[in-house]
Amino acid sequence: MVARITIDTPLDVRLLDKGLSVGEALAAFNAAHGEAGGVVSFLGKVRPDGDVRALELSHYEPLTLPAMRELTETARDQFALDGALVWHRIGVMTPGEAIVLVATAARHRRDAFAAADYLMDHLKSAAWLWKREKRADGWHWIEPRGQDHEDIARWE
Amino acid sequence: MVARITIDTPLDVRLLDKGLSVGEALAAFNAAHGEAGGVVSFLGKVRPDGDVRALELSHYEPLTLPAMRELTETARDQFALDGALVWHRIGVMTPGEAIVLVATAARHRRDAFAAADYLMDHLKSAAWLWKREKRADGWHWIEPRGQDHEDIARWE
Amino acid sequence: MAVTILFLGPLRDLAGKQALEVQAPLDWSGLLGAVGPQVAEQLAAQRVNVACAGKVLADKTRLNAFDGDEVALLPPVSGG
Amino acid sequence: MAVTILFLGPLRDLAGKQALEVQAPLDWSGLLGAVGPQVAEQLAAQRVNVACAGKVLADKTRLNAFDGDEVALLPPVSGG
């Protein structure tokens, strides 16, 4: 595979307004962390639920990226990571498209798993993202839900 | 990216005697499970530990693949997976090379994480694989260790 | 010069606009007066945060925005 | 015809060979006699499993291998 993506920083945090190539991103991440014993990734995609035709994520630039960076640094320190990749889509997406890609590289498998899980549990509240769905009758904002707070409470 | 790998079965279990292209495998897996909300992967690589120059995995053909298939079916049923990929290298590998690639696709994130974790914890004992390392003074067999039993005990 | 008030997420629909320019300086009561009654009601609720010049305020009622500052109204982020 | 005994993993080094052909039928005492004292000692230990014709035996002492069967001696798998 021709690597069109290069990762040259241990913590690679990005907000993307276009589609992301998951295979290439993970190939680049693996190449950047050749010495890590374990690499875990999570890919979240827009689910084709009911009559949802599109999903839009809006964010507040001055807060979103710094918060994602801070979260990723915390995860690195807490789980002794060699590196992490945290990429989040913004803008309008259709079902099947990637929303979020997280990857963690660590010496030991358990740390890589725990860090990816931790990042996903905290990302939604750290990232200041608002979501709305387009259905047959127009756009609808997605409300906050209790599950997110429970997800974070797992780590306290 | 040109997809040179196609995945056309929900449970894709393979033993590979050559290197595997992780990016392409995961791209193919994602493409095969477009409707899954979450995809988790784990990649295990040969760690450049001390003076380890190479690692050899030997197996017993009539048991290894059926056991891996059975484990993968159990994981699918237990975690309501849309699909799973379980690829294991055999033969001689050098540090940095992939040993194992596991991917799980599920409607919900938590299931995909739990299933990948479960597969990794059970794979070593299910797979009937023996490992030896080549160091400066020759080949050494790796002994079984207690951690594996603890890993499996987490799920009981 | 002015302070820019930004309406994020669903507050944008409620305000009927994305941004609003008001005279500096701007404090909490000035903000409540500027955004219209519907947004003011949401702002008074605890779950809406306020950021000023790129920082989320620990106590939004102590807002004190100067010339050129951006004041962002941040409703709770979406679940799912 | 014959029964093939396969030495897996570290047992291969201990046996000094990868495989051995013996006369069928083969039972547990026949196996212990055929593999040499060092491998026999390992076999007697609980952690070495025995597979016959592709199935791991629940009780290896009940081995009963016929013509053409493969008997695999399976030491504990490696950790790490």
Side-chain angles (χ1 to χ4, degrees):
Chain A
M1 184 170 62
V2 181
R4 283 179 293 183
I5 295 173
T6 305
I7 289 174
D8 51 14
T9 169
L11 304 184
D12 191 296
V13 179
R14 304 187 195 186
L15 281 164
L16 306 164
D17 55 10
K18 275 185 291 196
L20 57 98
S21 172
V22 174
E24 288 181 48
L26 293 177
F29 185 75
N30 293 334
H33 301 289
E35 306 225 328
V39 176
V40 167
S41 75
F42 174 78
L43 168 68
K45 293 191 280 191
V46 182
R47 275 202 302 260
D49 265 350
D51 65 345
V52 174
R53 294 169 187 187
L55 180 75
E56 187 197 46
L57 284 179
S58 55
H59 74 128
Y60 181 50
E61 179 85 44
L63 293 182
T64 315
L65 204 53
M68 284 169 63
R69 286 207 185 100
E70 198 179 322
L71 172 64
T72 308
E73 283 163 14
T74 304
R76 176 196 53 196
D77 296 346
Q78 193 158 332
F79 300 101
L81 298 181
D82 288 358
L85 175 153
V86 179
W87 289 7
H88 213 299
R89 267 296 305 275
I90 50 171
V92 176
M93 287 149 269
T94 51
E97 269 196 272
I99 306 174
V100 59
L101 179 66
V102 159
T104 54
R107 191 170 159 76
H108 297 290
R109 171 162 61 95
R110 194 75 69 217
D111 285 327
F113 266 112
D117 200 10
Y118 175 93
L119 282 166
M120 285 306 306
D121 273 350
H122 288 79
L123 198 52
K124 275 178 289 184
S125 54
W128 295 99
L129 292 163
W130 297 275
K131 201 183 278 188
R132 54 177 197 157
E133 286 175 354
K134 189 179 194 177
R135 304 199 203 105
D137 60 345
W139 287 98
H140 299 266
W141 290 100
I142 310 295
E143 291 297 311
R145 57 174 190 130
Q147 181 66 41
D148 299 339
H149 302 288
E150 286 167 32
D151 287 348
I152 289 176
R154 292 170 66 216
W155 302 94
E156 277 160 10
Chain B
M1 183 170 63
V2 181
R4 282 179 294 185
I5 296 172
T6 304
I7 289 174
D8 52 13
T9 168
L11 303 185
D12 191 294
V13 179
R14 304 187 195 187
L15 281 164
L16 305 163
D17 55 10
K18 275 185 291 196
L20 57 99
S21 172
V22 174
E24 288 180 50
L26 293 177
F29 185 75
N30 292 335
H33 300 289
E35 306 225 330
V39 175
V40 167
S41 75
F42 174 79
L43 168 66
K45 293 190 281 190
V46 182
R47 276 202 302 260
D49 266 350
D51 65 346
V52 173
R53 293 167 187 189
L55 180 76
E56 186 196 48
L57 284 179
S58 56
H59 75 127
Y60 180 52
E61 179 84 44
L63 292 183
T64 315
L65 204 53
M68 284 169 64
R69 286 209 185 101
E70 197 179 324
L71 172 64
T72 308
E73 283 162 16
T74 303
R76 175 196 55 196
D77 297 345
Q78 193 158 333
F79 301 101
L81 298 181
D82 288 357
L85 175 153
V86 178
W87 290 7
H88 213 299
R89 268 295 306 274
I90 50 172
V92 176
M93 287 150 269
T94 51
E97 268 195 273
I99 307 175
V100 59
L101 179 66
V102 158
T104 53
R107 191 172 160 76
H108 297 291
R109 171 161 62 93
R110 194 75 68 218
D111 285 328
F113 266 112
D117 200 10
Y118 175 93
L119 282 166
M120 285 306 305
D121 273 350
H122 289 78
L123 198 52
K124 275 178 291 186
S125 53
W128 295 100
L129 292 162
W130 298 274
K131 202 182 277 189
R132 55 179 197 155
E133 287 176 352
K134 189 181 194 175
R135 304 200 202 104
D137 60 345
W139 287 99
H140 299 267
W141 289 100
I142 311 295
E143 291 296 311
R145 61 180 185 122
Q147 181 66 40
D148 298 340
H149 302 289
E150 286 167 33
D151 287 348
I152 289 176
R154 292 169 67 214
W155 302 94
E156 276 158 9
Chain C
M1 284 262 301
V3 169
T4 305
I5 301 172
L6 278 186
F7 302 93
L8 276 302
L11 289 182
R12 185 182 68 193
D13 293 355
L14 207 60
K17 55 175 88 69
Q18 199 159 358
L20 176 69
E21 298 238 323
V22 296
Q23 274 304 114
L26 183 73
D27 65 4
W28 177 243
S29 66
L31 178 65
L32 289 178
V35 295
Q38 282 190 296
V39 174
E41 191 186 319
Q42 290 291 312
L43 261 180
Q46 277 199 336
R47 297 182 73 192
V48 173
N49 280 287
V50 174
C52 180
K55 299 283 171 206
V56 180
L57 302 178
D59 180 354
K60 62 192 173 189
T61 67
R62 300 198 165 212
L63 173 69
N64 192 14
F66 296 106
D67 228 20
D69 281 351
E70 192 168 85
V71 172
L73 311 188
L74 312 161
V77 297
S78 304
Chain D
M1 283 261 302
V3 169
T4 306
I5 301 172
L6 278 186
F7 301 94
L8 276 303
L11 289 182
R12 186 182 67 194
D13 293 355
L14 207 61
K17 56 175 86 71
Q18 199 159 355
L20 175 69
E21 297 239 323
V22 297
Q23 274 303 113
L26 184 72
D27 66 4
W28 176 244
S29 67
L31 178 65
L32 290 178
V35 296
Q38 283 190 294
V39 173
E41 191 186 318
Q42 290 291 314
L43 260 179
Q46 278 199 337
R47 297 182 74 194
V48 174
N49 279 287
V50 174
C52 181
K55 299 283 170 205
V56 181
L57 302 177
D59 180 354
K60 62 192 173 188
T61 67
R62 299 200 166 212
L63 173 69
N64 192 15
F66 296 105
D67 227 20
D69 281 350
E70 191 167 85
V71 172
L73 311 188
L74 312 161
V77 296
S78 304

